[in-house]
Amino acid sequence: MIPHQTDSFDTIFASLGPPTASQVAALCWRPAGDSLTVLLVTTRRTRRWTPPKGGLIDGRTAHESAEIEAWEEAGVIGDVSPIALGEYQTLKFREGKGWEKLAVTVYPLLVQSLEADYPERGARRLRFFAANAAVRAVREPELKAIMERFRG
């Protein structure tokens, strides 16, 4: 994986080794005629588009953790699949730790509704994208490939 943001020694170094942490993501989607739309949220620090994601939650399965992250970051209520679509790698800056390479497992979540009040309301932007536009909006090549396979 090659960093796409401002390259520094730390980001280059972090990108070279294996992932040092795991996260889960919810690929939130809903039907739109003969196609589908995908919900993406902005990251807090860089404001780039990504699926809602976060760490595993104690006492919850990976797909349940992804579902909770979707609600916390975007107010999503829906049905999450226990079957992962795939995994991608990304870099994340953590205060006090620096850059860290993450392995992110992606689970599809069919959006039933969006709640107006949720924990991270106001901290991120969220937007439904047409499937093709969602693929173009994300940065990571492996995530793009997962999304392209999912949209069909």
Side-chain angles (χ1 to χ4, degrees):
M1 181 179 132
I2 299 171
H4 293 266
Q5 294 177 335
T6 305
D7 292 336
S8 70
F9 177 76
D10 292 339
T11 57
I12 293 169
F13 183 74
S15 71
L16 296 176
T20 57
S22 297
Q23 285 194 336
V24 292
L27 186 62
C28 302
W29 68 280
R30 64 184 180 191
D34 292 340
S35 186
L36 58 95
T37 59
V38 174
L39 178 74
L40 299 176
V41 299
T42 55
T43 62
R44 284 190 241 182
R45 198 175 72 76
T46 63
R47 310 306 284 172
R48 65 184 172 76
W49 293 106
T50 186
K53 66 181 183 307
L56 292 168
I57 299 169
D58 287 340
R60 301 296 183 134
T61 64
H63 72 280
E64 289 170 339
S65 295
E67 180 179 30
I68 291 167
E69 288 297 331
W71 178 76
E72 288 178 353
E73 294 186 6
V76 173
I77 302 294
D79 291 320
V80 66
S81 172
I83 300 170
L85 296 171
E87 182 180 283
Y88 71 97
Q89 296 179 358
T90 190
L91 295 176
K92 180 173 184 158
F93 185 81
R94 296 189 189 262
E95 289 296 327
K97 290 185 176 181
W99 288 98
E100 182 174 37
K101 189 174 187 179
L102 304 174
V104 183
T105 305
V106 181
Y107 295 89
L109 189 157
L110 174 59
V111 176
Q112 294 173 340
S113 65
L114 296 177
E115 290 193 358
D117 190 24
Y118 52 93
E120 296 186 25
R121 182 175 180 234
R124 305 166 186 279
R125 289 180 30 218
L126 58 114
R127 182 172 139 197
F128 275 97
F129 289 81
N132 292 339
V135 171
R136 289 189 305 271
V138 299
R139 181 185 74 185
E140 297 85 353
E142 295 163 312
L143 177 57
K144 288 178 181 286
I146 290 168
M147 293 170 67
E148 285 173 345
R149 284 192 308 272
F150 182 72
R151 73 167 187 212

